[in-house]
């Protein structure tokens, strides 16, 4: 039916998000692992910097960023819609994306690099140099993984914070598992945008990396089964809960996000205000504005003030601000229950846009 090409990797967090989604949409596509040739001939010329996943559409356009890739496909193949019908559910889905993309990154990076380093090095080497020996693959992969490994201390994953990051992640797993006792997916009996968002961190790093999978199977085997169903794109024909209802069993997950990530986002926003005071329209944002304090599972540390996290938040805030009065009352009740009322007045001082696959001031 189609000939999309997805350039990505089995080991990549954000490729998993798109792969599960494309499988569920029932699209035929070819997934190509990114080697040096593809990097030089497709990714760098079209995207401008080394990042995956990248989608090539049947008419030859190249799209980067998982949210844009999903939006591109939804525009061409609207049914079944990945977004729930309810406007507050849609807002909650975008908030879940902030949590999944930007905050579950911490446990994902921790478990990968502190428990699976040798395995993932060989895995990186296997995809770059499939014909090399295991020892060579390990050496090649170790080099390729250096830039990701280097993120671990910058994200604030260290001796002082690891106990809290692990405790928070295990509690998250239990909370999600409790939800899955009632519902097969986030909003009902078929997956939607929030599931594919969660799939990013939960698939490659926290399910597929072997030492991480042991944790998931021990603490929340139900989440492991959800991961398997979601990556393979099962349950195309199920239902999503009606009446714009957000299941109560999701609230503990959102409350965790409110407690741990919202203070980080507020601190990033303050640094963004300072940076943007002297910046001009069209200027590219730095990837981070330095570091800001965080607390996870009772441990305190400093994490990167990622500029992209504000862009993901901006999408959720746009959905919140676009609600009708009656929907807004429903959203206010939800935000109160998840301790996130501050989102009602949260202002990102200047509009963020992506230009040529880079984050810029509008
Ligand atoms: N916001 C991007 C993030 C993509 C991303 O961070 N991809 C990782 C691999 S999973 C990567 O290639 N990172 C390279 C880098 O950040 O320099 C998306 O949603 O597509």
């Amino acid at each position: 039916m189609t000939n999309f090409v997805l350039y990505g990797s089995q080991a990549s967090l954000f490729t998993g998000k798109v792969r599960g989604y494309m499988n569920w949409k029932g699209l035929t596509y070819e997934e190509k692992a990114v080697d040096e040739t593809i990097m030089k001939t497709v990714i760098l010329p079209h995207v401008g910097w080394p990042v995956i996943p990248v989608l090539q559409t049947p008419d030859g356009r190249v799209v980067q960023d998982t949210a844009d890739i999903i939006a591109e496909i939804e525009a061409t193949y609207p049914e079944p819609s990945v977004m729930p019908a309810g406007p507050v559910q849609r807002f909650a889905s975008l908030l879940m994306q902030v949590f999944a993309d930007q905050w579950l990154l911490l446990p994902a990076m921790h478990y990968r690099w502190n428990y699976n380093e040798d395995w993932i090095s060989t895995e990186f080497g296997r995809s770059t140099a499939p014909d090399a020996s295991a020892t060579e693959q390990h050496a090649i992969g170790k080099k390729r993984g250096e830039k990701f490994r280097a993120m671990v201390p910058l994200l604030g994953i260290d001796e002082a914070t690891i106990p809290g990051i692990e405790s928070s992640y295990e509690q998250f797993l239990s909370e999600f598992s409790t939800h899955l006792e009632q519902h097969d997916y986030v909003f009902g009996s078929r997956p939607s945008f929030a599931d594919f968002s969660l799939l990013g961190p939960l698939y490659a790093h926290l399910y597929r990396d072997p030492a991480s999978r042991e944790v998931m199977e021990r603490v929340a085997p139900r989440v492991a089964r959800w991961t398997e169903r979601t990556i393979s794109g099962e349950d195309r024909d199920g239902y999503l809960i009606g009446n714009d209802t957000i299941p109560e069993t999701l609230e503990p997950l959102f409350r965790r996000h409110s407690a741990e990530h919202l203070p980080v986002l507020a601190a990033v926003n303050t640094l963004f205000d300072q940076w943007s005071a002297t910046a001009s329209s069209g200027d590219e944002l730095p990837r981070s504005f330095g570091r800001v304090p965080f607390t996870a599972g009772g441990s305190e540390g400093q994490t990167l003030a990622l500029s992209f996290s504000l862009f993901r938040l901006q999408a959720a805030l746009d959905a919140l601000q676009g609600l009708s009065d009656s929907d807004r009352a429903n959203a206010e009740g939800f935000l109160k229950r998840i301790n996130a009322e501050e989102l009602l007045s949260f202002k990102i001082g200047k509009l963020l846009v992506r230009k040529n696959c880079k984050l810029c001031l509008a």
Side-chain angles (χ1 to χ4, degrees):
M1 166 167 81
T2 52
N3 51 342
F4 287 101
V5 182
L6 179 63
Y7 295 102
S9 154
Q10 280 292 332
S12 140
L13 187 153
F14 289 98
T15 306
K17 177 180 175 186
V18 170
R19 187 188 307 115
Y21 162 74
M22 290 182 78
N23 288 341
W24 177 75
K25 277 308 256 195
L27 299 171
T28 44
Y29 67 96
E30 187 182 359
E31 183 168 335
K32 289 193 181 168
V34 175
D35 57 15
E36 266 182 47
T37 312
I38 290 176
M39 188 54 84
K40 281 192 191 136
T41 57
V42 180
I43 312 253
L44 293 177
H46 289 98
V47 178
W49 57 290
V51 61
I52 53 173
V54 167
L55 182 79
Q56 190 172 312
T57 63
D59 59 3
R61 282 170 307 114
V62 170
V63 186
Q64 203 294 307
D65 190 68
T66 49
D68 288 2
I69 291 172
I70 292 174
E72 164 75 34
I73 294 173
E74 287 293 295
T76 318
Y77 300 97
E79 294 300 331
S81 169
V82 76
M83 277 295 177
V88 180
Q89 292 176 332
R90 289 204 291 271
F91 158 63
S93 303
L94 290 165
L95 193 57
M96 189 70 98
Q97 178 180 235
V98 180
F99 183 28
D101 280 25
Q102 306 294 314
W103 195 240
L104 290 177
L105 185 65
L106 261 71
M109 292 294 278
H110 161 56
Y111 284 95
R112 165 159 293 179
W113 292 103
N114 289 321
Y115 291 107
N116 294 280
E117 183 166 0
D118 275 336
W119 185 84
I120 195 64
S121 296
T122 306
E123 183 71 3
F124 277 168
R126 210 186 348 258
S127 62
T128 314
D131 301 324
S133 70
T135 315
E136 285 166 338
Q137 284 174 341
H138 185 270
I140 293 166
K142 205 169 169 61
K143 185 140 189 42
R144 210 186 122 195
E146 270 167 9
K147 81 168 176 181
F148 297 110
R149 177 81 188 85
M151 293 280 291
V152 171
L154 295 175
L155 285 169
I157 302 163
D158 56 32
E159 248 173 61
T161 59
I162 285 171
I165 291 170
E166 293 193 352
S167 146
S168 178
Y169 170 62
E170 292 204 12
Q171 289 173 58
F172 158 80
L173 282 179
S174 303
E175 289 157 0
F176 191 25
S177 180
T178 301
H179 170 78
L180 293 171
E181 281 174 31
Q182 312 282 328
H183 304 278
D184 292 339
Y185 295 95
V186 171
F187 281 117
S189 75
R190 60 100 155 161
S192 61
F193 189 79
D195 295 277
F196 298 116
S197 296
L198 287 170
L199 186 65
L202 290 180
Y203 175 64
H205 294 56
L206 292 167
Y207 168 85
R208 187 170 176 271
D209 290 3
S212 313
R213 188 185 310 187
E214 279 174 28
V215 176
M216 191 186 278
E217 292 285 5
R218 171 173 58 77
V219 178
R222 205 175 274 112
V223 175
R225 304 292 81 76
W226 166 92
T227 307
E228 288 158 359
R229 294 195 304 274
T230 309
I231 193 71
S232 54
E234 289 176 27
D235 299 316
R236 198 154 188 246
D237 299 323
Y239 66 87
L240 295 181
I241 296 165
N243 290 333
D244 210 3
T245 300
I246 298 174
E248 227 177 282
T249 43
L250 289 178
E251 289 175 8
L253 283 76
F254 282 111
R255 275 197 287 274
R256 177 165 305 286
H257 181 248
S258 302
E260 295 181 4
H261 196 210
L262 282 195
V264 170
L265 290 166
V268 178
N269 198 31
T270 302
L271 295 181
F272 169 64
D273 280 343
Q274 288 164 12
W275 175 85
S276 63
T278 56
S280 314
S281 165
D283 281 359
E284 186 183 334
L285 273 73
R287 301 273 303 260
S288 97
F289 301 110
R291 297 177 88 205
V292 289
F294 78 98
T295 306
S299 300
E300 291 177 13
Q302 297 270 324
T303 191
L304 275 180
L306 295 169
S307 56
F308 202 84
S309 61
L310 291 183
F311 185 62
R312 285 288 190 249
L313 179 63
Q314 178 179 275
L317 293 177
D318 284 351
L320 179 62
Q321 283 149 17
L323 293 175
S324 68
D325 287 348
S326 60
D327 291 334
R328 195 175 167 84
N330 180 9
E332 280 176 13
F334 167 63
L335 287 173
K336 197 166 177 196
R337 293 193 297 279
I338 64 162
N339 304 327
E341 282 162 298
E342 70 185 271
L343 288 181
L344 290 165
S345 55
F346 199 107
K347 292 267 173 306
I348 299 175
K350 288 192 177 149
L351 184 65
L352 299 172
V353 290
R354 287 180 78 250
K355 267 192 211 150
N356 300 326
C357 300
K358 303 213 171 87
L359 189 60
C360 299
L361 283 187

